Amino acid sequence: MKINTETKYCQTCGIPLEIDYNNLGLEQNEEYCEYCLKNGVKLYDFSMDYLIYLWGLFPEEYYRETGIKYTSEELREVMSKRLPHIKRWKQKVNTAHIQYELIIKVQEYINRHLFDELDSDTLSRVASVSKYHFRRLFKAVCGENIGNYIQRLRLEYIAFKLITTDVSVPKLLSQINYQNKHTLSRAFKSYFNCSIPEFREKHSKVSPERKNPIQIDFSIEKISGIRVAYLKLERTQNVSHSFSVLWRQLLQFSENHKLSSKGCKYISLTLDYPLITPEEQIRFMVGVTLPQSFRIPKGFGHYEIPAGEYAVFRFKGFYHQLNRVYRHIYLDWLPTSDYALREQFTFETYIDTPEKTPASELVTDIYIPVMKKEV
């Protein structure tokens, strides 16, 4: 692609820059837009594919900033040609086309059929691409091959059941249709570097001295199913910045459709148990709840939060302190409560937003799916 030499582009996000060279200030930057400069150019560590994916979700924002109207497909095509030639992405190899929606679709299928027969033939049909292209695309987007991804999720699910229930290994195997005890033992030890009994013992005494004292009000609530439109968070070296970019997109989407006035809430969803899954591999999404009649917009994932009983913990404070709250819930509250986890899935709803509320005053509700312990 021949770059238009008369147009300057932000050397991170690719948006056209309006520069008046006749009145250029001494400290004015000629390479980056105000947003990228303000948020730290070097910290903007998305992959190029992911950035193009995000642009395609919100072409109206591009129109508002530039006055140039594109459809999602057109804007992604423009950015696919433009970004490899600007400073932030030059020299980078673009290994996967902008097909995050396909991978999200496959991941959702895997979540629903984790212990079914899952092979490349089946999953490539779900993605509607060739088997070869699917394997290459999945690794480029997720950072691991499809076989390792499925095996890891299965072992982490089993580990979750081992430390949150008293179920025996044979009974667990019959429930999830895993191959056999010996196959599981070998795979488990290879992944967690300890045997199943050692793993259970280690986590049964993880916080004997209550090293995470914290007082948080909680309640037990029964909720109906919740419909969510979400965006996938790509884990980068600076997760907080990645989160803020998606948060900004969600706020704009919500404002455009007046969702707040309809009682919708901002939400994040975690499909893994944070004390088992490495942080960089936790399946994490940010989204907004939707009325049943609202059509899921193109480019967003769709998730139905299951109805049931939840322990709800209300926390007031900085978002970066939430990890401490989760440690309290899992290591201190849960072992001494009358409840057990029924699934590893958790979610948070945000009562207010950082744009309107001081960071120290932000209120977050954490929902943990629970059931009464058997006596």
Side-chain angles (χ1 to χ4, degrees):
M1 174 185 178
K2 185 176 180 180
I3 296 297
N4 181 356
T5 56
E6 296 181 358
T7 302
K8 297 291 185 181
Y9 300 103
C10 172
Q11 295 299 297
T12 288
C13 72
I15 199 169
L17 297 175
E18 295 182 0
I19 299 176
D20 182 356
Y21 288 96
N22 294 321
N23 298 292
L24 188 64
L26 292 176
E27 297 183 359
Q28 184 174 342
N29 192 289
E30 300 179 39
E31 294 189 320
Y32 304 102
C33 70
E34 183 179 348
Y35 178 79
C36 290
L37 200 60
K38 179 181 178 181
N39 286 281
V41 172
K42 292 182 179 179
L43 296 180
Y44 201 97
D45 60 351
F46 291 151
S47 69
M48 184 166 61
D49 290 302
Y50 193 58
L51 178 57
I52 300 171
Y53 162 72
L54 290 177
W55 269 126
L57 291 176
F58 300 96
E60 67 276 4
E61 187 166 330
Y62 188 90
Y63 172 70
R64 186 170 54 255
E65 294 291 334
T66 68
I68 304 172
K69 182 167 281 189
Y70 290 117
T71 65
S72 292
E73 291 75 14
E74 290 169 341
L75 183 53
R76 283 176 173 165
E77 183 178 356
V78 166
M79 287 298 185
S80 294
K81 294 176 180 177
R82 181 183 299 166
L83 291 183
H85 296 273
I86 66 176
K87 182 178 291 186
R88 176 65 180 86
W89 310 105
K90 205 169 184 178
Q91 308 299 328
K92 287 190 176 289
V93 178
N94 192 9
T95 57
H97 190 53
I98 313 307
Q99 295 178 336
Y100 271 79
E101 290 97 337
L102 299 182
I103 297 306
I104 288 173
K105 184 178 178 182
V106 170
Q107 288 175 323
E108 289 174 344
Y109 182 88
I110 293 171
N111 293 343
R112 295 193 303 269
H113 303 87
L114 185 56
F115 289 95
D116 292 347
E117 186 68 31
L118 295 173
D119 54 32
S120 294
D121 289 323
T122 301
L123 298 177
S124 62
R125 285 196 295 271
V126 172
S128 301
V129 297
S130 72
K131 182 166 63 174
Y132 169 77
H133 182 58
F134 166 71
R135 288 198 297 255
R136 185 174 63 86
L137 177 61
F138 190 93
K139 186 169 184 178
V141 172
C142 299
E144 58 187 320
N145 69 49
I146 183 63
N148 289 346
Y149 177 84
I150 293 170
Q151 174 78 327
R152 177 173 63 80
L153 293 191
R154 286 172 174 171
L155 290 173
E156 289 173 356
Y157 178 85
I158 290 168
F160 164 79
K161 288 295 186 181
L162 288 171
I163 64 177
T164 58
T165 71
D166 295 325
V167 64
S168 67
V169 173
K171 186 175 180 180
L172 178 59
L173 288 175
S174 67
Q175 292 173 352
I176 61 177
N177 194 31
Y178 201 83
Q179 293 137 307
N180 58 66
K181 181 178 179 179
H182 299 295
T183 303
L184 172 61
S185 296
R186 288 194 299 270
F188 193 94
K189 189 166 187 177
S190 175
Y191 184 67
F192 290 104
N193 295 314
C194 63
S195 67
I196 289 174
E198 290 169 343
F199 184 85
R200 247 181 172 161
E201 177 68 15
K202 174 183 175 183
H203 285 270
S204 67
K205 299 180 178 179
V206 70
S207 186
E209 300 173 3
R210 292 184 58 82
K211 295 179 181 179
N212 305 288
I214 187 171
Q215 295 297 321
I216 303 175
D217 293 332
F218 78 94
S219 59
I220 303 296
E221 299 179 13
K222 288 186 177 180
I223 68 169
S224 303
I226 301 175
R227 190 166 175 256
V228 177
Y230 71 84
L231 298 176
K232 174 177 176 254
L233 177 69
E234 180 174 286
R235 290 285 172 175
T236 65
Q237 294 178 2
N238 186 22
V239 172
S240 61
H241 178 63
S242 306
F243 183 88
S244 71
V245 171
L246 290 192
W247 182 262
R248 180 168 171 256
Q249 305 287 16
L250 283 170
L251 288 174
Q252 187 61 56
F253 167 68
S254 179
E255 290 172 7
N256 289 346
H257 295 279
K258 298 180 173 56
L259 294 179
S260 295
S261 64
K262 299 174 183 177
C264 300
K265 297 180 180 180
Y266 298 109
I267 194 168
S268 66
L269 306 98
T270 305
L271 300 182
D272 298 287
Y273 188 48
L275 300 183
I276 293 176
T277 305
E279 182 180 0
E280 67 276 8
Q281 292 179 315
I282 286 179
R283 293 167 292 168
F284 185 79
M285 301 165 284
V286 292
V288 60
T289 62
L290 295 177
Q292 287 298 323
S293 59
F294 192 93
R295 184 177 179 182
I296 302 292
K298 185 176 181 181
F300 279 76
H302 172 221
Y303 196 91
E304 293 281 348
I305 295 177
E309 202 166 36
Y310 288 79
V312 184
F313 296 80
R314 173 157 290 194
F315 174 71
K316 181 178 180 180
F318 296 97
Y319 286 154
H320 72 261
Q321 294 177 328
L322 286 169
N323 281 342
R324 183 166 168 249
V325 179
Y326 276 104
R327 290 189 65 82
H328 162 72
I329 293 170
Y330 286 123
L331 305 185
D332 297 330
W333 177 80
L334 192 62
T336 58
S337 75
D338 295 328
Y339 294 88
L341 292 174
R342 54 184 167 84
E343 292 295 342
Q344 62 205 66
F345 162 80
T346 66
F347 67 95
E348 301 167 5
T349 60
Y350 305 104
I351 309 305
D352 34 39
T353 65
E355 285 72 19
K356 299 178 181 178
T357 306
S360 60
E361 300 296 312
L362 292 168
V363 176
T364 305
D365 283 343
I366 300 172
Y367 287 74
I368 309 292
V370 295
M371 58 186 177
K372 273 281 191 179
K373 290 178 179 175
E374 295 181 3
V375 179

